[in-house]
């Protein structure tokens, strides 16, 4: 069914019956993966992000960390980024159908997300990704008038080009390593150690104010990383936009050849690359073995979008089978993905930080994973309960209000087309 607005109609928030259930299911699935990845860094310094798997764990905990590193970490932010790009494309398609220019609306949407992301990054948890998405969304506007094929081309070029640069850098580091022993920059090593110690002190024992100050310092210090990350993120956004505009998400049957290729070619290729990366190393030593670490990271970056697209194609295929009834249980959590993402951070920092329960460093990986599964199950149930009474999650409602410049009806009884 076509839910595009009539030509000349004002753009308005999408009401529940107009939503693509496939996107909501995929968001719910991605939300679980993001939580499995993030929980480790609610109780570990963010300065260690990118260092790989902690070798000092018990065997079961190490095995779980290894599995999450290979199959989850770096894959589910990409799945979310694909969905974010699809949202961009969906708004653009609705605007084109209505004969409207959506730039002002999308600018408000992106700036509102930037505000939410900054509040999250500085006041709640420093591992926020919303700021990156919001900044990348502004870049996306440059590609708004491109054809789906051109968007795919630029997406692959941006992401693939960045991966090739990482591979090239690993080669240069290897040559430098072969030319002589690697010299450790003592000043840099001391600065990193000081940052790590400051994070542990602020988060494990400090007040909320101490944590905020540390998050501000971390955010400012890593602004350069944000710029680099945007190259990868915008590339994935554009691939997601192409995938939505291709019709493969809304109407999978005519696009089975594409989806089959993602399942039978992209997924195995991604698995091979991910396992090759893990075989090289899962513990990055950037001071004494940077070449090997960089090669492992480059291969994992190459593997991640292939695995993510494969996961996506598997979910889309499963939605055409009897598994659909079970997968649809994820849809309410996906409709409230932003609210649930922020709730995960609020709960995670409250459990582990000193201004909450103070369990920093005391919860083994196995119990972290079990806790994630239990909390996510409650989020699925709670989201269903909420959406039986309201049209939007609370943060989604606020985001839409900022985007459209008016308050959308919250309760179902008040629903009507604006």
């Amino acid at each position: 069914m076509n839910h595009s607005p009539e030509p000349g109609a004002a753009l308005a928030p999408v009401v529940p019956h107009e939503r693509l259930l496939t996107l909501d299911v995929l968001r719910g699935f991605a939300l679980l993966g993001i939580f499995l990845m993030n929980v480790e860094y609610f109780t570990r310094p963010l300065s260690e992000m990118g260092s790989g798997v902690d070798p000092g764990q018990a065997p079961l905990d190490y095995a779980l960390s290894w599995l999450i590193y290979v199959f989850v970490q770096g894959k589910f932010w990409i799945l979310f980024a694909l969905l974010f790009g699809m949202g961009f494309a969906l708004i653009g398609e609705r605007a084109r159908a209505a004969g409207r220019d959506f730039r002002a609306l999308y600018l408000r949407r992106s700036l509102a997300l930037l505000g939410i992301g900054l509040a999250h990054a500085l006041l709640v948890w420093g591992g926020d990704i919303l700021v990156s998405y919001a900044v990348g969304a502004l870049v996306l506007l440059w590609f708004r008038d491109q054809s789906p094929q051109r968007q795919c081309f630029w997406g692959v070029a941006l992401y693939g080009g960045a991966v090739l640069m990482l591979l090239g850098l690993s080669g240069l580091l290897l040559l430098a390593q072969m030319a002589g022993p690697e010299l450790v920059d003592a000043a840099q090593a001391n600065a990193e150690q000081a940052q790590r110690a400051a994070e542990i002190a602020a988060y494990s024992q400090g007040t909320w104010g101490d944590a905020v100050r540390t998050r501000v310092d971390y955010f400012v210090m890593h602004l350069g990383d944000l710029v680099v990350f945007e190259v990868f993120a915008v590339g994935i956004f554009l691939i997601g936009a192409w995938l939505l505009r291709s019709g493969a998400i809304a109407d999978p049957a005519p696009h089975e050849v594409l989806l089959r290729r993602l399942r039978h070619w992209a997924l195995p290729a991604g698995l091979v690359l991910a396992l090759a990366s893990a075989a090289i190393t899962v513990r990055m030593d950037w001071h004494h073995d940077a070449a090997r670490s960089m090669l492992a990271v480059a291969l994992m970056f190459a593997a991640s979008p292939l695995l993510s697209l494969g996961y996506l194609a598997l979910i889309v295929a499963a939605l055409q089978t009897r598994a659909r009834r079970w997968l649809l249980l994820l849809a309410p959590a996906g409709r409230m993905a932003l609210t649930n993402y922020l709730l995960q951070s609020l709960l995670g920092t409250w459990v582990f930080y000193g201004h909450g329960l103070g369990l920093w460093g005391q919860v083994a990986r196995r119990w972290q994973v079990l806790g994630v599964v239990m909390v996510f199950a409650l989020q699925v149930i709670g989201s269903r309960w909420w959406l039986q009474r309201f049209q939007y999650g609370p943060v989604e409602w606020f985001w839409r209000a900022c985007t459209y410049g008016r308050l959308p009806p919250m309760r179902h009884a008040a629903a009507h087309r604006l």
Side-chain angles (χ1 to χ4, degrees):
M1 182 180 296
N2 181 14
H3 296 302
S4 297
E6 295 295 327
L11 293 176
V14 174
V15 292
H17 73 273
E18 294 181 336
R19 298 185 66 88
L20 281 176
L21 275 176
T22 300
L23 294 186
D24 289 331
V25 170
L26 287 166
R27 286 191 190 96
F29 178 62
L31 190 66
L32 173 59
I34 289 289
F35 200 5
L36 282 170
M37 184 181 73
N38 287 349
V39 67
E40 179 180 7
Y41 291 96
F42 292 143
T43 182
R44 184 179 175 185
L46 286 168
S47 55
E48 293 185 3
M49 194 173 285
S51 63
V53 180
D54 181 1
Q57 303 177 83
L60 176 58
D61 299 316
Y62 183 87
L64 287 170
S65 295
W66 188 93
L67 289 170
I68 290 171
Y69 174 77
V70 173
F71 295 102
V72 177
Q73 188 170 321
K75 288 76 182 172
F76 281 81
W77 80 257
I78 286 182
L79 183 53
F80 250 131
L82 288 167
L83 294 166
F84 190 85
M86 291 180 198
F88 164 78
L90 199 56
I91 292 174
E93 293 297 296
R94 295 180 71 237
R96 273 186 282 272
R100 298 278 180 161
D101 186 343
F102 79 112
R103 284 176 295 183
L105 178 145
Y106 199 76
L107 181 61
R108 291 196 299 271
R109 173 186 170 89
S110 302
L111 291 176
L113 184 63
L114 179 61
I116 295 169
L118 286 171
H120 178 234
L122 302 180
L123 303 180
V124 181
W125 183 56
D128 168 81
I129 202 168
L130 300 178
V131 171
S132 300
Y133 280 20
V135 173
L138 299 175
V139 179
L140 272 181
L141 286 173
W142 293 347
F143 298 91
R144 67 187 183 279
D145 295 325
Q146 298 281 339
S147 68
Q149 293 74 21
R150 293 291 292 175
Q151 287 179 336
C152 182
F153 168 81
W154 281 111
V156 172
L158 284 170
Y159 192 97
V163 169
L164 288 175
M165 288 184 65
L166 291 180
L167 287 169
L169 183 56
S170 69
L172 292 175
L173 289 170
L174 179 60
L175 290 174
Q177 224 169 275
M178 292 169 61
E182 233 176 320
L183 297 177
V184 176
D185 186 333
Q188 181 181 351
N190 290 337
E192 291 171 358
Q193 187 61 31
Q195 182 187 9
R196 180 180 180 278
E199 282 194 83
I200 293 174
Y203 299 150
S204 65
Q205 300 176 0
T207 65
W208 178 74
D210 295 330
V212 170
R213 284 189 289 273
T214 301
R215 282 191 286 265
V216 171
D217 291 341
Y218 180 87
F219 182 83
V220 173
M221 288 178 64
H222 289 82
L223 282 176
D225 297 340
L226 174 66
V227 175
V228 175
F229 180 77
E230 292 301 341
V231 178
F232 291 99
V234 173
I236 296 298
F237 293 162
L238 288 169
I239 294 172
W242 159 74
L243 198 55
L244 187 284
R245 295 178 70 190
S246 74
I249 302 301
D251 189 14
H255 302 87
E256 179 55 27
V257 172
L258 169 63
L259 294 169
R260 190 184 303 120
R261 286 173 179 168
L262 294 180
R263 293 193 301 271
H264 296 166
W265 292 97
L267 185 63
L271 178 59
V272 168
L273 288 170
L275 292 176
S277 170
I280 293 169
T281 185
V282 294
R283 180 62 176 176
M284 311 307 159
D285 183 350
W286 296 106
H287 291 299
H288 300 96
D289 200 357
R292 186 167 67 150
S293 299
M294 184 60 73
L295 178 59
V297 166
L299 289 175
M300 194 61 80
F301 265 99
S304 293
L306 297 173
L307 283 170
S308 299
L309 287 165
Y311 295 162
L312 180 149
L314 286 174
I315 294 292
V316 171
L319 283 169
Q320 316 310 312
T321 69
R322 284 184 294 181
R324 176 182 176 85
R325 60 178 295 191
W326 299 106
L327 287 172
L328 287 179
L329 295 175
L330 298 174
R335 280 178 58 187
M336 294 177 54
L338 183 54
T339 295
N340 283 319
Y341 170 71
L342 296 175
L343 279 174
Q344 289 171 1
S345 294
L346 285 167
L347 180 61
T349 52
W350 176 73
V351 167
F352 293 109
Y353 281 22
H355 56 77
L357 297 181
L359 297 181
W360 178 279
Q362 301 178 41
V363 180
R365 197 75 168 110
R366 71 193 79 176
W367 304 121
Q368 294 175 22
V369 171
L370 179 61
V372 164
V373 173
M374 293 174 63
V375 170
F376 182 72
L378 291 175
Q379 286 190 310
V380 169
I381 296 168
S383 297
R384 181 180 175 85
W385 179 89
W386 180 274
L387 291 173
Q388 286 173 342
R389 291 156 177 80
F390 304 101
Q391 291 201 88
Y392 311 106
V395 184
E396 286 76 11
W397 178 85
F398 173 76
W399 192 17
R400 282 164 173 76
C402 294
T403 298
Y404 293 95
R406 54 188 181 275
L407 301 179
M410 187 64 160
R411 289 188 174 274
H412 289 292
H416 61 277
R417 288 304 304 270
L418 295 179

